Amino acid sequence: MNFSVDQLTSVEGWANLLIPYGLKLLGAIAIFVIGRWIAALLVKVFRKSLDRAKVDDTVTSFLGTVAYIVLMAFVVIAALGQLGVKTTAAAAIIGGMALALGLSLQGQISAVAAGVLLIFFRPFKKGDFVQAAGQYGTVEHVSLVNTLLVTTNNQEITIPNNQVWNSAITNFSARDTRRMDLTVSISLAADVDRAKAVLQEIADGDERTLSEPAPAILVNAITDSSVDILFRPWFPRVEFWGAYWDIVERIKKRFDEEGIDFAHQRRFIELRGGGEDKAA
């Protein structure tokens, strides 16, 4: 539409120029606002359906985020179309912006890719106690970018997902049972058979100890100052740490009562004279 100089200098001319574009702008804003509301509503319904299907919280969060991003991309393109921007051009612009953003955020994209792998392969889930990227903690949340762990002293550790995925992951909550691995070192003069019998009594006397697999009590090594006995009872995972602390204390008390000496570290000191031999 062409306007003369007189039209551009008159109020009516400006009104004829601005009103059509103002209406388009209002329409674009309305499309964006309403579209965002509809997208949020659809994602909410989608999340609830996943919850009813008892899908893991981590997967639900990830799929909900992806769905919202896709829906909002359509909303933005529709709003730009209302302004007169061709949708093909808008898609090209968005694609170019995504490419530029991707090049500048390669590290973050790597974390996102690792987050997708963590979410779908699920080496752990929310509530599991794990060791990941050298850190210990309970999994609180896994997002597209990072994993949040809560330590036993209630501190939060945020780890980028690419560091988690590229490291060895130990999931202490994956199995229902755990084995306690203790090495009890007694003196060379102590009665090995009695020490093994006392350890068996301690295992049998704790109701948390599993009978299957049976506790392993084996002489593992004899050094110059000790006899090392492996003590390996099994426990339900949820009972492990309570049993661990109780049993360590019981071993100390029972061995003292039975007169079984623990090994003591021995040090040998060699003394050399400082004088020189003299020839006769």
Side-chain angles (χ1 to χ4, degrees):
M1 184 181 295
N2 296 323
F3 293 88
S4 64
V5 175
D6 292 338
Q7 288 176 312
L8 293 176
T9 56
S10 65
V11 175
E12 183 180 356
W14 277 107
N16 292 332
L17 176 64
L18 295 177
I19 287 176
Y21 292 100
L23 292 175
K24 288 183 178 181
L25 179 60
L26 290 175
I29 293 173
I31 289 174
F32 181 80
V33 173
I34 296 174
R36 186 174 65 174
W37 177 78
I38 293 175
L41 180 62
L42 291 176
V43 169
K44 185 177 180 180
V45 173
F46 179 58
R47 285 174 179 267
K48 285 185 177 180
S49 64
L50 293 177
D51 290 337
R52 285 195 296 268
K54 297 182 179 180
V55 177
D56 185 74
D57 290 342
T58 303
V59 177
T60 299
S61 177
F62 169 73
L63 294 178
T65 301
V66 172
Y68 185 75
I69 291 173
V70 172
L71 290 172
M72 285 305 299
F74 283 107
V75 170
V76 170
I77 291 175
L80 291 175
Q82 175 64 23
L83 289 175
V85 180
K86 293 183 178 179
T87 54
T88 54
I93 292 172
I94 293 174
M97 292 174 61
L99 178 61
L101 186 62
L103 293 174
S104 62
L105 299 175
Q106 293 183 21
Q108 286 79 356
I109 291 176
S110 175
V112 170
V116 173
L117 294 174
L118 287 172
I119 288 170
F120 280 99
F121 286 98
R122 297 178 64 191
F124 50 73
K125 63 182 183 299
K126 181 179 179 181
D128 286 351
F129 185 78
V130 302
Q131 179 191 15
Q135 302 291 339
Y136 291 86
T138 301
V139 179
E140 179 73 15
H141 179 68
V142 181
S143 70
L144 284 177
V145 179
N146 53 54
T147 297
L148 178 64
L149 301 182
V150 178
T151 65
T152 53
N153 58 348
N154 205 33
Q155 295 177 335
E156 293 186 355
I157 302 177
T158 302
I159 311 172
N161 284 334
N162 51 343
Q163 293 185 20
V164 176
W165 182 255
N166 292 325
S167 68
I169 300 171
T170 303
N171 190 338
F172 298 96
S173 303
R175 303 298 178 94
D176 293 332
T177 59
R178 281 189 65 180
R179 188 183 71 186
M180 181 185 300
D181 293 342
L182 287 178
T183 298
V184 181
S185 298
I186 61 176
S187 68
L188 292 172
D191 187 336
V192 174
D193 291 335
R194 184 55 189 155
K196 291 174 64 177
V198 170
L199 291 174
Q200 185 67 57
E201 291 172 8
I202 291 174
D204 294 340
D206 194 309
E207 61 183 10
R208 295 165 292 190
T209 305
L210 297 177
S211 58
E212 184 62 35
I217 304 174
L218 306 167
V219 175
N220 182 55
I222 300 175
T223 70
D224 59 357
S225 61
S226 68
V227 177
D228 296 337
I229 302 175
L230 293 181
F231 181 47
R232 293 180 171 178
W234 289 80
F235 299 92
R237 173 176 52 83
V238 295
E239 302 283 0
F240 179 81
W241 284 111
Y244 181 91
W245 295 318
D246 290 344
I247 282 180
V248 169
E249 182 177 349
R250 287 175 191 166
I251 290 174
K252 166 61 178 169
K253 292 179 178 179
R254 282 295 308 275
F255 275 36
D256 287 347
E257 292 173 1
E258 299 288 336
I260 302 172
D261 293 331
F262 290 98
H264 301 283
Q265 186 176 7
R266 298 172 63 184
R267 295 183 180 179
F268 296 92
I269 301 175
E270 182 179 357
L271 299 177
R272 296 185 179 181
E276 299 181 355
D277 293 337
K278 295 181 179 180

